Amino acid sequence: MTLSTVKKGKTGRSLCLLLLLTALMMTSCATMGKKAATLTECPERMLWRIDGLDKKGNPSTVYIQGSFHLGDDRMYPLQKGVVDAWTGADRLVAEVASKDYQQLQPKILELMISSLQKAGGRKVTDALTEEQNKTLLSLLDKDTVDNLVLFEPWVTTYSLAGMIYANSGLASEYGLDSGLLASAIEEGRGVEGLDELQVQLDIITYGSYEEQLDMLRELLDELKDPKEEIEDVKNMYAAYLANDRKAFDKLNQESIAEDEAKHEFYKGYYKMLLTDRNKDWAKDIAGYLREGGTTFIFAGSAHWVGNESVFNYMRKAGTLE
């Protein structure tokens, strides 16, 4: 039978069936050839390894080094497995690219100038209770407070967070992110970013003036006795140093749940801080696997543990077993 002898209606149906069958076969072959990557929990502190295939079918590896943004002498020296992964990597990736990281503090200063204008003459202290103002003055000297309260509330919150970290005995310059970025610069190696710089800035300045006030009020209420907040930071760091991933996640989740129980807007904040970024990072890592070679990523440990981790979003997308 030739094509010319087949009735028109039958030809249409036959071609449709043929095209559908061909499409199904091609999809089946593509699915069979596409193997999800595997995840290994390394014995080194907060280190994971993902093994997959690049777009040419060659082995591809991504190391994930969970970091802590503060630290002390106990953070170093790094374990041999971490150093080997770092040294052998073709690509280094942090939360923000090295070029953006160097611009972070100048950008924050720019935001503070803008914040002064946005505050429009309002003073943070006018919106605080007498007790909260007393707490604020017990933590920061009067001249500092008099200057800070002319900005949007996030500036005061940002300063108080720095005070908590300083009193915990931990410092940002000892944080793993800072250490690895400094090493990359010293070695003349570029560092790509999982986030655009603006994402980080949006997190710092999150919320309306009133929402920022609520966050500041909550913090000041908690800081009537700052020992508890300082102890929380120390406990998180201890879990990190011990490589106790379950304890680290538990402490992190308890802190999030406590915040979200107080105010609805915290859900939006943690969605921006963790959920949205974790989903984006899951796609980024799949891209690095496709590009091939060995990639070394270092970013906050909270992104890699728990039910909403980057790894779980990769599993949902089918890029990770």
Side-chain angles (χ1 to χ4, degrees):
M1 180 183 295
T2 64
L3 286 175
S4 59
T5 61
V6 180
K7 292 182 180 179
K8 185 177 180 180
K10 189 173 181 181
T11 303
R13 287 195 297 273
S14 298
L15 285 173
C16 286
L17 287 170
L18 179 61
L19 290 169
L20 178 60
L21 180 60
T22 302
L24 287 171
M25 290 175 67
M26 290 175 68
T27 303
S28 177
C29 290
T31 303
M32 289 174 65
K34 185 180 178 181
K35 185 180 179 182
T38 58
L39 177 68
T40 301
E41 188 175 293
C42 303
E44 292 82 5
R45 182 191 303 143
M46 292 290 181
L47 184 69
W48 291 264
R49 174 178 171 145
I50 301 175
D51 291 290
L53 298 175
D54 66 14
K55 54 192 173 186
K56 295 181 180 179
N58 298 317
S60 181
T61 303
V62 174
Y63 285 99
I64 305 292
Q65 174 62 70
S67 65
F68 202 84
H69 301 317
L70 305 168
D72 56 18
D73 289 334
R74 292 173 289 171
M75 181 76 79
Y76 306 97
L78 299 181
Q79 294 156 292
K80 185 178 182 301
V82 176
V83 175
D84 289 345
W86 168 272
T87 304
D90 305 302
R91 181 186 300 108
L92 303 177
V93 183
E95 292 191 26
V96 293
S98 49
K99 62 179 177 62
D100 289 335
Y101 185 78
Q102 293 168 351
Q103 291 297 312
L104 185 57
Q105 287 305 320
K107 287 290 184 182
I108 290 174
L109 289 175
E110 287 180 19
L111 285 173
M112 288 180 66
I113 294 170
S114 174
S115 175
L116 184 62
Q117 297 169 340
K118 289 179 180 178
R122 289 174 288 184
K123 292 176 65 176
V124 166
T125 43
D126 291 340
L128 302 178
T129 66
E130 183 179 348
E131 187 69 26
Q132 288 164 346
N133 276 314
K134 192 181 297 184
T135 300
L136 183 58
L137 285 168
S138 72
L139 298 168
L140 301 170
D141 65 80
K142 187 176 185 304
D143 287 342
T144 300
V145 170
D146 287 344
N147 287 320
L148 287 177
V149 298
L150 299 175
F151 297 88
E152 290 176 301
W154 70 263
V155 178
T156 303
T157 300
Y158 190 74
S159 299
L160 286 172
M163 181 277 302
I164 295 169
Y165 299 150
N167 289 340
S168 71
L170 305 176
S172 59
E173 55 263 33
Y174 280 91
L176 188 56
D177 312 76
S178 298
L180 290 177
L181 278 165
S183 293
I185 292 169
E186 186 178 332
E187 296 166 14
R189 302 172 72 184
V191 179
E192 298 179 24
L194 293 166
D195 288 337
E196 296 294 330
L197 180 57
Q198 190 59 48
V199 172
Q200 299 269 326
L201 298 176
D202 288 344
I203 291 169
I204 293 171
T205 60
Y206 176 82
S208 64
Y209 191 96
E210 286 302 318
E211 288 172 336
Q212 291 175 19
L213 266 178
D214 283 337
M215 294 176 83
L216 176 58
R217 291 183 185 118
E218 293 288 346
L219 180 59
L220 286 169
D221 288 342
E222 291 168 358
L223 289 177
K224 280 190 290 187
D225 182 4
K227 292 179 183 176
E228 186 175 342
E229 290 297 307
I230 293 169
E231 197 62 30
D232 287 345
V233 174
K234 288 182 175 180
N235 288 338
M236 287 282 285
Y237 187 56
Y240 177 83
L241 289 177
N243 196 29
D244 192 337
R245 306 178 196 204
K246 288 184 179 179
F248 186 91
D249 179 49
K250 184 173 183 291
L251 290 167
N252 187 51
Q253 291 305 321
E254 286 174 351
S255 177
I256 292 172
E258 186 179 331
D259 284 341
E260 291 184 344
K262 293 173 185 173
H263 285 290
E264 185 69 23
F265 66 78
Y266 274 113
K267 292 181 179 178
Y269 173 72
Y270 284 113
K271 181 177 180 294
M272 174 189 286
L273 180 68
L274 292 171
T275 308
D276 291 347
R277 294 166 77 205
N278 287 359
K279 289 178 180 179
D280 288 340
W281 292 6
K283 295 174 186 175
D284 291 339
I285 294 173
Y288 291 131
L289 286 168
R290 285 194 300 273
E291 287 180 37
T294 300
T295 302
F296 185 99
I297 296 174
F298 55 105
S301 294
H303 295 278
W304 315 106
V305 296
N307 294 329
E308 297 297 313
S309 70
V310 175
F311 301 135
N312 275 350
Y313 283 114
M314 290 183 70
R315 290 187 184 100
K316 290 176 183 178
T319 55
L320 190 65
E321 287 183 357

